[in-house]
């Protein structure tokens, strides 16, 4: 079966790539081979592979460049790009490069050029599959690179992460990037099926197997044969269904409810959970052997608050997407709204951001969406809260000090503070100061 990624795409980096350069290439499906000019290197290529050379002029000495020149001369057909340093001196090698990217290189632009070289047939499916997992933060680049690595391997993947982080979107992408992408993808939320029906939903039943089973029915695993099954909220699977699932994983067979005839199924299993499965195992709610089987490859989805810069990117994307489908006035965010979004903790992650943006897009009266439209506390509110906090603290300290000076005598303290005795009592209540204990 052809994988969308079956033709390898490789960048030979002459020099030493940085961390971000490495993860960006990997997230876009490029393999990276760093060739250090001072070390002996052979550049091997297989037919069908797309191999591009990238010469990093930034830290390469003249003698190193000489060696690179020799190496690349042996592969004249290999397209070359260059990353040039500050005040780059002219060099004959530069003339051989299709494109030069001055330091610091615009990596998006570089990837765009690489993509163009790889040709239109190399990745459209692959790139589309990841369209639902946007983000340029390092954690997201690493996640996408991991996802690309896991996709072609026929092993189970356990997708973990808080609610709304994109676990289901990741499962779809894994399937679409896998050799099974032309085969069925069947998703089921294990927590949404009544416990009594789980076995029959997943593994099917024979006619008469239980009251109401008027005909034979195939279960989800049989329908997904040769494709992928996505078990969402796998932690909610009842114990008897866990046993049947373990059998599918170990032996590749299942039995319909009401039959003891084993049926062979070929499915790849993806599972997601937002509960701590290890704890469920400790508490006896989840089979340990099943956990080990499912947990071969693990894909953790990072919470939105940990994705540096992505909140802004996603907020703009969701708004632009909404605008393309609805007639709305809002076309951007006020700077206060953007700051508020960056500060917010997003317990509901990407889904919450999407919902807030859509609601705000509808309710906003102006062209810029405000904090109020997003139902987030603005800077003003935050400052006011802080000021209030400082004031309260100062008031309590002052009251305590006057009370000490007046030896906790209310009348004396009221005279010192030039307020009524009633006010002193009120302030003591407000700041939870027990006169009895203080004295
Ligand atoms: N990185 C992303 N870029 C764009 N859209 C995203 C991204 N991550 C998630 N979404 C969108 O956010 C919504 C929630 O994603 P999804 O349903 O995959 O999350 P989940 O982790 O399965 O949530 P839950 O735990 O609640 O089931 C979907 O509409 C999805 O398309
Ligand atoms: Mg989900």
């Amino acid at each position: 079966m052809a994988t969308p990624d079956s033709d390898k795409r490789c960048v030979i980096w002459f020099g030493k790539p940085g961390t971000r350069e490495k993860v960006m290439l990997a997230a876009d499906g490029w393999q990276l081979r760093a060739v250090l000019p001072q070390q002996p290197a052979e550049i091997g290529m297989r037919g069908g592979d797309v191999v591009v050379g990238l010469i990093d002029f930034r830290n390469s000495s003249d003698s190193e460049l000489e060696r690179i020149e020799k190496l690349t001369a042996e592969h004249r057909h290999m397209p070359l790009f260059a990353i040039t340093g500050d005040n780059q001196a002219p060099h004959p090698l530069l003339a051989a490069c299709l494109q030069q990217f001055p330091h610091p290189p615009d990596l998006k632009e570089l990837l765009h050029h690489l993509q163009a070289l790889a040709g239109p047939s190399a990745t459209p499916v692959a790139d589309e599959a990841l369209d639902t997992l946007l983000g340029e933060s390092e954690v997201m680049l690493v996640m996408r690179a991991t996802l690309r690595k896991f996709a072609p391997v026929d092993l189970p993947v356990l997708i973990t992460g808080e609610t709304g982080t994109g676990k289901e979107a990741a499962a779809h992408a894994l399937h679409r990037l896998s050799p099974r992408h032309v085969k069925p993808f069947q998703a089921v939320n294990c927590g949404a099926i009544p416990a009594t029906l789980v076995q029959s939903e997943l593994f099917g039943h024979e006619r008469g197997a239980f009251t109401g089973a008027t005909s034979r029915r195939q279960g989800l695993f049989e329908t997904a044969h040769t494709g992928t099954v996505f078990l969402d909220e796998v932690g909610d699977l009842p114990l008897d269904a866990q046993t049947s699932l373990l059998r599918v994983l170990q032996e590749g067979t299942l039995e319909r409810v009401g039959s003891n005839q084993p049926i062979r199924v070929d499915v790849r299993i993806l599972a997601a959970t937002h509960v701590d499965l290890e704890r469920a195992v400790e508490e006896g709610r989840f089979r340990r052997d099943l956990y080990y089987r499912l947990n071969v490859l693990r894909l953790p989805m990072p919470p939105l608050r940990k994705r540096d810069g992505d909140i802004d990117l996603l907020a703009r994307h969701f708004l632009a997407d909404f605008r393309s489908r609805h007639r709305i006035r809002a076309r951007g965010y006020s700077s206060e709204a953007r700051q508020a979004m960056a500060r917010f903790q997003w317990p509901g992650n990407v889904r919450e951001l999407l919902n807030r943006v859509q609601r705000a897009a509808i309710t906003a009266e102006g062209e810029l969406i405000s904090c109020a439209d997003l139902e987030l506390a603005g800077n003003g509110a935050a400052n006011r809260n802080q000021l209030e906090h400082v004031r309260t603290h100062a008031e309590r300290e002052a009251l305590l000090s006057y009370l000490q000076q007046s030896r906790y005598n209310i009348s004396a303290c009221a005279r010192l503070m030039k307020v009524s005795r009633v006010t002193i009592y009120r302030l003591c209540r407000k700041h939870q100061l027990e006169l009895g204990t203080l004295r």
Side-chain angles (χ1 to χ4, degrees):
M1 262 186 279
T3 320
D5 258 356
S6 57
D7 281 344
K8 293 262 184 315
R9 299 183 287 162
C10 181
V11 171
I12 313 260
W13 192 293
F14 295 96
K16 214 167 165 221
T19 315
R20 190 161 176 88
E21 290 155 356
K22 277 190 208 159
V23 284
M24 274 201 85
L25 284 166
D28 258 37
W30 288 87
Q31 297 199 346
L32 179 68
R33 227 186 106 203
V35 171
L36 294 171
Q38 62 275 23
Q39 286 166 3
E42 283 270 315
I43 302 171
M45 280 184 224
R46 283 187 333 184
D49 289 0
V50 179
V51 181
V52 183
L54 195 144
I55 305 172
D56 197 338
F57 280 82
R58 291 173 296 185
N59 304 310
S60 306
S61 65
D62 282 347
S63 64
E64 284 170 341
L65 287 171
E66 212 171 287
R67 220 184 112 56
I68 294 174
E69 207 168 359
K70 274 204 196 105
L71 267 172
T72 52
E74 289 164 21
H75 298 277
R76 289 206 179 279
H77 53 283
M78 178 167 68
L80 292 174
F81 289 151
I83 297 184
T84 54
D86 299 329
N87 310 318
Q88 177 68 48
H91 191 282
L93 250 182
L94 277 172
C97 295
L98 294 175
Q99 196 82 30
Q100 299 178 17
F101 299 90
H103 173 79
D106 180 340
L107 293 174
K108 289 226 91 161
E109 181 78 12
L110 171 65
L111 284 167
H112 188 74
H113 279 82
L114 286 172
Q115 183 70 51
L117 273 183
S121 62
T123 57
V125 189
D127 286 348
E128 243 174 68
L130 289 166
D131 272 358
T132 48
L133 288 171
L134 303 174
E136 296 303 326
S137 57
E138 203 135 312
V139 279
M140 280 304 275
L141 294 176
V142 170
M143 191 284 293
R144 283 210 296 276
T146 311
L147 194 147
R148 279 186 193 274
K149 255 189 233 153
F150 290 176
V153 186
D154 229 7
L155 288 169
V157 180
L158 183 62
I159 310 168
T160 57
E162 293 176 14
T163 180
T165 43
K167 296 187 291 297
E168 184 156 358
H172 272 279
L174 277 169
H175 173 71
R176 295 201 57 200
L177 287 172
S178 80
R180 295 174 183 257
H181 68 112
V182 282
K183 303 291 181 175
F185 175 84
Q186 293 284 346
V188 63
N189 185 333
C190 302
I193 320 170
T196 48
L197 292 180
V198 170
Q199 288 275 22
S200 135
E201 279 292 319
L202 298 185
F203 308 106
H205 61 248
E206 293 294 335
R207 185 169 169 214
F210 48 85
T211 331
T214 50
S215 58
R216 163 189 281 183
R217 184 168 177 261
Q218 282 197 337
L220 188 97
F221 277 84
E222 272 187 82
T223 339
H225 183 55
T226 69
T228 307
V229 166
F230 172 47
L231 300 169
D232 205 354
E233 299 313 341
V234 72
D236 291 341
L237 212 56
L239 281 166
D240 57 342
Q242 289 179 28
T243 310
S244 310
L245 174 59
L246 185 66
R247 182 162 165 191
V248 174
L249 281 160
Q250 279 177 336
E251 296 163 28
T253 60
L254 57 83
E255 278 169 16
R256 296 192 190 127
V257 178
S259 156
N260 44 26
Q261 192 69 36
I263 297 171
R264 191 147 279 287
V265 280
D266 164 22
V267 287
R268 183 185 193 185
I269 295 171
L270 308 177
T273 175
H274 72 249
V275 299
D276 184 353
L277 274 190
E278 270 134 62
R279 201 159 130 208
V281 169
E282 291 310 321
E283 290 170 3
R285 288 179 286 113
F286 204 81
R287 290 185 65 128
R288 187 179 295 275
D289 41 11
L290 177 59
Y291 172 65
Y292 289 140
R293 281 274 168 173
L294 289 175
N295 192 26
V296 182
L297 304 176
R298 189 191 276 254
L299 186 69
M301 300 300 290
L304 181 59
R305 62 185 164 278
K306 297 246 172 86
R307 303 183 195 176
D308 246 1
D310 283 353
I311 296 171
D312 210 45
L313 177 146
L314 287 170
R316 277 188 282 121
H317 167 78
F318 290 147
L319 181 59
D321 184 52
F322 198 73
R323 268 184 75 78
S324 68
R325 289 177 289 118
H326 301 91
R327 284 169 64 95
I328 50 164
R329 281 200 72 196
R331 45 175 71 245
Y333 298 89
S334 72
S335 65
E336 203 189 3
R338 290 175 52 198
Q339 283 167 28
M341 284 193 284
R343 257 197 325 264
F344 193 57
Q345 291 295 299
W346 300 106
N349 294 290
V350 186
R351 183 182 296 107
E352 182 177 9
L353 176 62
L354 175 65
N355 290 345
R356 279 187 193 258
V357 167
Q358 293 186 340
R359 194 169 51 224
I362 300 165
T363 52
E365 309 221 314
E367 292 205 335
L368 293 184
I369 287 175
S370 68
C371 292
D373 299 325
L374 288 163
E375 294 177 21
L376 292 177
N379 234 341
N383 283 347
R384 273 196 300 282
N385 279 348
Q386 223 166 10
L387 207 64
E388 186 57 35
H389 185 76
V390 171
R391 246 188 234 136
T392 312
H393 185 73
E395 188 179 72
R396 188 176 199 273
E397 291 298 295
L399 177 65
L400 259 175
S401 148
Y402 282 120
L403 279 170
Q404 274 162 3
Q405 285 174 49
S406 51
R407 301 225 165 92
Y408 304 99
N409 180 304
I410 298 293
S411 307
C413 183
R415 271 197 302 279
L416 267 176
M417 287 179 76
K418 298 195 174 63
V419 293
S420 69
R421 292 176 68 238
V422 179
T423 304
I424 302 291
Y425 281 119
R426 186 180 56 76
L427 285 175
C428 285
R429 264 199 313 278
K430 177 178 165 189
H431 295 291
Q432 295 177 339
L433 296 175
E434 283 274 347
L435 284 173
T437 15
L438 285 172
R439 282 178 184 133

